[in-house]
């Protein structure tokens, strides 16, 4: 259940990202940062999605976004809008 919910939240978040941030495999990077294998959809039993805390999930997503070129404020806003409500 959490895996598909996480993927939906990340997809909604990415839909609002500027095109400049969508270069490269950003979706995969974000999913990996929360402990979800983008190829199999399986979660890492020791990853943030499986064992939390939620703040670790939020930090992983925000960090992936800033590494993709978004500023910290925009990254935090996207996480607040799309990831926090899902977890």
């Amino acid at each position: 259940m959490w895996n598909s919910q996480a993927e939906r939240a990340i997809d909604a978040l990415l839909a609002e990202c500027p095109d400049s941030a969508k270069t490269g495999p950003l979706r995969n990077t974000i999913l990996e940062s929360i402990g979800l294998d983008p190829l199999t959809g399986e979660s890492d039993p020791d990853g943030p999605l499986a064992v939390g805390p939620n703040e670790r999930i939020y930090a992983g997503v925000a960090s992936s976004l800033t590494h993709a070129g978004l500023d910290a404020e925009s990254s935090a806003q996207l996480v607040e809008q799309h990831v926090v409500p899902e977890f």
Side-chain angles (χ1 to χ4, degrees), residues 9 54 58 76 78-87:
N54 289 352
Y58 310 152
L78 286 169
V79 169
E80 185 73 27
Q81 291 171 342
H82 296 284
V83 181
V84 171
E86 297 298 325
F87 298 92

Side-chain angles (χ1 to χ4, degrees), residues 1-4 6-7 31-32 34-47 49-50:
M1 175 179 117
W2 286 111
N3 296 4
S4 60
E7 289 190 73
L31 292 174
E32 289 169 354
I34 65 172
L36 191 59
D37 186 310
L39 299 177
T40 66
E42 298 294 317
S43 60
D44 176 353
D46 297 318
L49 189 60

